[in-house]
Amino acid sequence: MAIDASGVLGSRQLAGVKVNRRGYAWNLARNQSGNLAADIVLGGQPHPGRTETPPFRLAYLAVTDSELALLRLRARKVFMLKAAEVITRVPRNQLHTAELGPGYVAPLTITFANGDTWQLEIPPPSKRYARTVIHTLGGRILSKNSLPPELAPRMTGFRVICGLIWAVLAIGIGAGGVAELTIGQIGGAVLCFVIAVPAGWYDYRIWTLKARRLFLII
């Protein structure tokens, strides 16, 4: 269910989306599984550079006729959040650009007329709301094909080699898990599948040019 911040803002919300500060998902994945797993799943640690993004953990970006606002979120019920208070608000006539980038965790960059920039990221379940926000603001949704040539991943010989190696790794470990099941070793099978699934996911990202960092494991 979408969050409606109209009551907190005092004007009708046209669009809104949950946001994190840039790099939150990578840091969370690193703390849970280590740097390598975070790089494989999310493609490397983001480097936001200069940013005036206000401090928060999880917030809500709301758009009205006259302004953009970041609001702090609080739990309302189990698995439900509500907009609790305004962190900051900026008139829409101060907006310069709004861009939503590609990726599993999509980067959202908002630049204002005075040069200030908010570097945000969109949790995967909220991407459709982010697209509505961008359309409402008249911004731009970037795809892999629209990235600058120096940033867009390409199919190179090294990428092909990495893809083949990770495919063999995923298939081999998955087959090992099946073999473990046939002899009743449930624990060993689970361990194999736990390794094979992320390896297969990373291999898929290599071949579809979604993985920006390539790791060669032999």
Side-chain angles (χ1 to χ4, degrees), residues 96-175:
H96 181 56
T97 60
E99 290 186 343
L100 180 67
Y104 178 67
V105 178
L108 173 61
T109 303
I110 297 176
T111 305
F112 298 99
N114 63 358
D116 287 354
T117 300
W118 291 354
Q119 299 281 0
L120 309 168
E121 65 184 29
I122 307 299
S126 300
K127 287 183 181 179
R128 63 189 181 101
Y129 298 112
R131 288 191 286 268
T132 302
V133 166
I134 293 296
H135 288 314
T136 303
L137 294 175
R140 185 167 61 146
I141 298 177
L142 303 177
S143 65
K144 290 183 298 182
N145 295 331
S146 63
L147 289 173
E150 64 273 14
L151 297 179
R154 296 177 297 164
M155 186 59 70
T156 62
F158 182 65
R159 180 175 288 271
V160 170
I161 293 172
C162 288
L164 292 173
I165 290 176
W166 280 93
V168 171
L169 181 68
I171 294 171
I173 296 177

Side-chain angles (χ1 to χ4, degrees), residues 66-68 89-95 112:
S66 60
E67 65 181 358
L68 287 79
R89 56 209 309 171
V90 180
R92 279 186 63 173
N93 60 15
Q94 295 300 308
L95 176 68
F112 298 99

Side-chain angles (χ1 to χ4, degrees), residues 67-96:
E67 65 181 358
L68 287 79
L70 278 174
L71 301 98
R72 205 174 311 279
L73 292 175
R74 290 180 183 168
R76 182 173 62 178
K77 296 179 181 178
V78 179
F79 304 120
M80 297 184 66
L81 297 168
K82 68 174 182 178
E85 59 184 357
V86 176
I87 300 172
T88 187
R89 56 209 309 171
V90 180
R92 279 186 63 173
N93 60 15
Q94 295 300 308
L95 176 68
H96 181 56

